Amino acid sequence: MSFITPRATSAAAAPSRAETIFDYTNSASLAFWDAYLKGDARAKSYLQSDALEKSSHGAANLSRR
């Protein structure tokens, strides 16, 4: 798994895209930690749903095993 911060991209034209990717990554990461470290049922439900895919209009995709 890799993480990106808005400053990690060197392309001048891509900061808003990097920020968007950062937001999606943060959302999924925080939900994962909340679900599996804190035992948060809502976070686990979020990870099992297609909410992130819908809210990102297909730009983000969660893989599950």
Side-chain angles (χ1 to χ4, degrees), residues 1 3 21-36 43 46-47 52 60-63:
M1 175 183 266
F3 294 90
I21 293 168
F22 181 71
D23 289 343
Y24 298 146
T25 304
N26 265 353
S27 177
S29 299
L30 291 173
F32 175 84
W33 295 122
D34 286 346
Y36 294 100
Y46 171 76
L47 291 172
L52 182 60
N61 182 313
L62 291 178
S63 296

Side-chain angles (χ1 to χ4, degrees), residues 31-65:
F32 175 84
W33 295 122
D34 286 346
Y36 294 100
L37 291 179
K38 295 180 179 179
D40 185 333
R42 283 183 37 186
K44 192 169 187 177
S45 176
Y46 171 76
L47 291 172
Q48 293 171 342
S49 74
D50 61 353
L52 182 60
E53 288 89 345
K54 284 183 178 180
S55 68
S56 71
H57 305 287
N61 182 313
L62 291 178
S63 296
R64 299 167 187 88
R65 291 196 247 175

Side-chain angles (χ1 to χ4, degrees), residues 4 6 9 13-24 59:
I4 186 170
T9 62
S16 65
R17 178 157 167 74
E19 289 173 8
T20 301
I21 293 168
F22 181 71
D23 289 343
Y24 298 146

